[in-house]
Amino acid sequence: MFNNIILIMIRLNNDTPNDVLQDVKIGDMVTDTFSKTGLVETIEINDDGLYRIYEFHLVTGRTITIKK
């Protein structure tokens, strides 16, 4: 018997809708479609009063930062 594993990669950039950014979870496969791709290890969401800043820290040690 085979187990089917489906990985969905989520593209993260400034055009990504807020609801998609909010739904990203630890363990999700993400990419910035340029040079950063990997599994999400931690997520930080901060608000500086002007922007909501999403930081997705990947298991590769890279970080994808989105300001919206």
Side-chain angles (χ1 to χ4, degrees):
M1 179 177 225
F2 293 97
N3 290 330
N4 294 329
I5 297 174
I6 299 173
L7 289 177
I8 297 172
M9 189 173 306
I10 303 166
R11 182 174 48 171
L12 301 175
N13 58 34
N14 290 331
D15 296 327
T16 305
N18 288 336
D19 59 326
V20 173
L21 293 171
Q22 291 285 88
D23 287 344
V24 175
K25 300 177 295 306
I26 292 172
D28 283 349
M29 178 69 81
V30 297
T31 184
D32 70 350
T33 66
F34 182 63
S35 64
K36 300 172 188 164
T37 299
L39 297 173
V40 176
E41 185 172 40
T42 61
I43 302 169
E44 295 179 42
I45 302 173
N46 296 299
D47 192 331
D48 69 359
L50 185 58
Y51 294 103
R52 179 166 275 186
I53 303 166
Y54 298 85
E55 290 185 334
F56 301 94
H57 303 280
L58 310 181
V59 296
T60 59
R62 315 275 316 251
T63 300
I64 297 174
T65 302
I66 307 295
K67 292 182 181 180
K68 292 201 68 154

